[in-house]
Amino acid sequence: MSHTTPLYASFRSIGAYIPKKILSNEDLETMVDTSDEWITKRTGIKERHIAAEDEYTSDMGAKAAAIAIERAGLSTDEIDLVLCATVTPDYFNMPSTACVISDKLGIKNVQAFDISAACSGFVYLLSLAKAFIESGMKKNVLIIGAEKFSSIVDYTDRSTCILFGDGAGAAVISATDKKEEAFIDVHASADGSYSDFLVTPAPGSRNPASQKVIDEGLQYVQMKGNETFKLAVKTLTKDVKEILEKNGIASEDIPHFVPHQANYRIIKAVGDALKMRQEQVVVTVHKYGNTSAASIPMAINDIWESGRLKKGELMLLDTFGGGLTWASALLPFAGESI
Ligand code: UT7
């Protein structure tokens, strides 16, 4: 590549890590007043994976990242930027989980930082990777979405504890001069006026760690579920229609629609609004629940490992989460098929 050739960002590889322990709907029936029938009907979730007590967000992120680097055919010393999206970092708030992951992978003297965009984190990272690469600043960007969401879930609150799971996904985004491998578009947005829809009140400068925090359970995630649900369907439908129209691509020409895995009813509503056929829509929510920033890369990894995702095929990603934040992306898979 000469310096006069335009640089494009390409999605070169995917990896994921799924913790061993399974928390099923039947397990939850013994913990809170709920039923497998209610959870299945209202969310589509049957089970989720939970990290071990001594397994942290960085451990899961590092495992997913090592797989993605290997599948990209790179060595760790070729990575020149490490970005992690998480709302369950190892530490609130330093060192960043990206720094801890870099250390675990033996990546030294490379820029590394976290972003906080809740469930939209991975697609937000795609927009950052694209900008760093197109500007010529970086060549191989490691992006990671990793969450130990179980660490901020109140397992006595039936309105949230049935939804979330743990896990990590990672991708290598590399510079290329091949236009056919390039990201087509990434759109990321936010509206902070809805910040009370999804919130973890503590710890933070507003509510530093204290006995009061513990007594009131302010360290746990709180969600206005039904309001979030309605806004998610409305916002996502508009957002994905816009990105398709803007780029002149019809929904029937997308082989892989990979939505954020929060609730099957949201996935179905957006898929139906786009007139997607069932085989176009990637669904993993039944087995992983909502893994926040890890949900989209874990879902991409699933279709790659099962041989469904082939080199050159187009993916449409969409996501929605705390902030509120939302994002969508249109890009080909530029890695090797399995
Ligand atoms: O990833 C970030 C974005 N997050 C989301 O997109 C999540 C969006 N929200 C949702 O997925 C859904 O709103 C939930 C699954 C959280 C809830 O489903 P819903 O259809 O919106 O139910 P609801 O909150 O309106 O509650 C309906 C009823 C209530 O009882 P009453 O007031 O009708 O008697 C709840 O108390 O269901 C009750 N309920 C439960 N019942 C059994 C709430 N949670 C449970 C439960 N088991 N786990």
Side-chain angles (χ1 to χ4, degrees):
M1 271 180 283
S2 87
H3 67 281
T4 50
T5 314
L7 289 170
Y8 303 111
S10 68
F11 197 105
R12 186 154 167 182
S13 68
I14 186 75
Y17 173 79
I18 298 139
K20 276 200 189 68
K21 188 182 157 194
I22 290 176
L23 180 67
S24 67
N25 289 353
E26 288 72 22
D27 295 329
L28 285 161
E29 283 177 351
T30 69
M31 297 159 68
V32 287
D33 180 15
T34 192
S35 64
D36 171 48
E37 193 198 349
W38 191 96
I39 303 170
T40 307
K41 203 165 145 222
R42 298 283 180 133
T43 71
I45 303 168
K46 297 300 278 183
E47 56 189 38
R48 62 296 283 144
H49 290 248
I50 303 294
E53 213 170 310
D54 61 353
E55 187 172 43
Y56 311 117
T57 298
S58 65
D59 295 315
M60 295 187 281
K63 283 181 179 153
I67 295 168
I69 295 169
E70 199 207 322
R71 287 178 183 166
L74 295 175
S75 64
T76 46
D77 51 0
E78 290 170 281
I79 299 295
D80 52 8
L81 177 62
V82 179
L83 303 174
C84 180
T86 184
V87 286
T88 50
D90 283 21
Y91 303 98
F92 285 94
N93 245 326
M94 54 179 172
S96 70
T97 304
C99 282
V100 182
I101 291 173
S102 298
D103 181 49
K104 285 183 174 156
L105 294 174
I107 298 175
K108 287 205 187 305
N109 305 321
V110 160
Q111 185 177 4
F113 61 94
D114 289 356
I115 65 149
S116 167
C119 303
S120 307
F122 187 78
V123 185
Y124 264 56
L125 289 187
L126 289 175
S127 73
L128 283 182
K130 182 174 185 287
F132 271 105
I133 286 172
E134 287 176 355
S135 66
M137 282 176 74
K138 306 288 177 189
K139 280 199 171 58
N140 295 303
V141 183
L142 175 62
I143 62 170
I144 304 143
E147 302 282 9
K148 185 173 180 175
F149 221 91
S150 59
S151 65
I152 56 164
V153 164
D154 176 359
Y155 284 97
T156 66
D157 175 6
R158 70 175 184 173
S159 71
T160 52
C161 74
I162 56 140
L163 297 170
F164 296 99
D166 299 337
V172 174
I173 311 301
S174 291
T176 181
D177 54 7
K178 298 191 182 85
K179 184 99 173 58
E180 69 278 11
E181 292 187 350
F183 286 19
I184 296 172
D185 204 356
V186 187
H187 172 235
S189 196
D191 186 343
S193 66
Y194 295 106
S195 56
D196 61 334
F197 274 32
L198 258 158
V199 56
T200 312
S205 62
R206 192 169 173 142
N207 291 298
S210 69
Q211 191 57 48
K212 177 178 171 280
V213 163
I214 304 294
D215 291 346
E216 295 178 12
L218 300 178
Q219 72 275 30
Y220 296 126
V221 65
Q222 300 173 359
M223 180 172 67
K224 292 189 176 171
N226 198 263
E227 290 92 327
T228 308
F229 180 97
K230 288 181 192 148
L231 200 58
V233 172
K234 204 170 114 194
T235 310
L236 287 174
T237 303
K238 185 169 173 282
D239 205 49
V240 283
K241 278 187 175 166
E242 264 172 26
I243 198 168
L244 287 173
E245 267 166 32
K246 186 178 150 206
N247 293 287
I249 294 176
S251 62
E252 67 256 33
D253 296 333
I254 303 286
H256 307 289
F257 173 43
V258 190
H260 172 47
Q261 307 286 317
N263 184 321
Y264 180 66
R265 286 156 58 213
I266 301 178
I267 297 171
K268 173 106 175 53
V270 179
D272 286 353
L274 290 174
K275 301 195 171 57
M276 290 273 184
R277 299 179 307 279
Q278 210 180 337
E279 66 271 19
Q280 291 174 276
V281 184
V282 178
V283 180
T284 58
V285 70
H286 55 292
K287 51 183 181 174
Y288 304 142
N290 181 350
T291 58
S292 184
S295 115
I296 287 188
M298 284 168 75
I300 297 174
N301 185 69
D302 243 57
I303 54 170
W304 186 84
E305 286 192 350
S306 65
R308 259 173 82 187
L309 176 62
K310 303 267 195 300
K311 189 179 176 100
E313 286 182 343
L314 213 50
M315 301 186 282
L316 170 64
L317 318 179
D318 85 25
T319 186
F320 187 87
L324 292 174
T325 55
W326 61 94
S328 54
L330 200 49
L331 67 170
F333 178 69
E336 293 306 319
S337 315
I338 202 164

